C-alpha cells in the first residue's frame, strides 16, 4: 500500500506540473492540492507544504476562494492528523 501511495503522490505532482505549465486557470491548483494531500498522508511534510503552497498560489490567482480555503484547512489539519 505505501508503494502505491508514493507512486500516486508522484503522479499527482507530475500531473500538476504539466497542467500548471499548459492549462492555466484553477484546475492545476486542484491537482496541486491532491498532491499535497497524498504527500501529507505519506508523512512527507516538505513535499506536502510545497504542493499546498503552489495550490494556494494557483487557486488564488484563478479567483477560487473555495480552493484557497481548502489549502488553509489542509495546513490546519496537519498537526491534528499527527496527533499534535
Amino acid at each position: 500500500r505505501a508503494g502505491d501511495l508514493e507512486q500516486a503522490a508522484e503522479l499527482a505532482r507530475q500531473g500538476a506540473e504539466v497542467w500548471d505549465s499548459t492549462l492555466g486557470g484553477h484546475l492545476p491548483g486542484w491537482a496541486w492540492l491532491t498532491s499535497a494531500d497524498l504527500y501529507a498522508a505519506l508523512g512527507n511534510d516538505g513535499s506536502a507544504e510545497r504542493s499546498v503552497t503552489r495550490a494556494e498560489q494557483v487557486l488564488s490567482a484563478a479567483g477560487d476562494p473555495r480552493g484557497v480555503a481548502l489549502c488553509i484547512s489542509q495546513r490546519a489539519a496537519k498537526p491534528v492528523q499527527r496527533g499534535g
Side-chain angles (χ1 to χ4, degrees), residues 14-63:
Q14 291 169 5
E17 289 175 346
V18 169
W19 280 15
D20 211 357
S21 66
T22 60
L23 189 60
H26 66 98
L27 291 176
W30 290 99
W32 282 114
L33 189 55
T34 299
S35 174
D37 286 342
L38 289 166
Y39 282 124
L42 285 166
N44 187 336
D45 294 338
S47 293
E49 181 59 31
R50 285 188 295 278
S51 293
V52 79
T53 296
R54 184 63 187 145
E56 189 171 8
Q57 292 168 345
V58 170
L59 292 165
S60 180

Side-chain angles (χ1 to χ4, degrees), residues 58-80:
V58 170
L59 292 165
S60 180
D64 188 336
R66 184 172 149 245
V68 172
L70 287 172
C71 291
I72 294 166
S73 295
Q74 198 271 357
R75 283 192 180 104
K78 186 169 52 173
V80 173

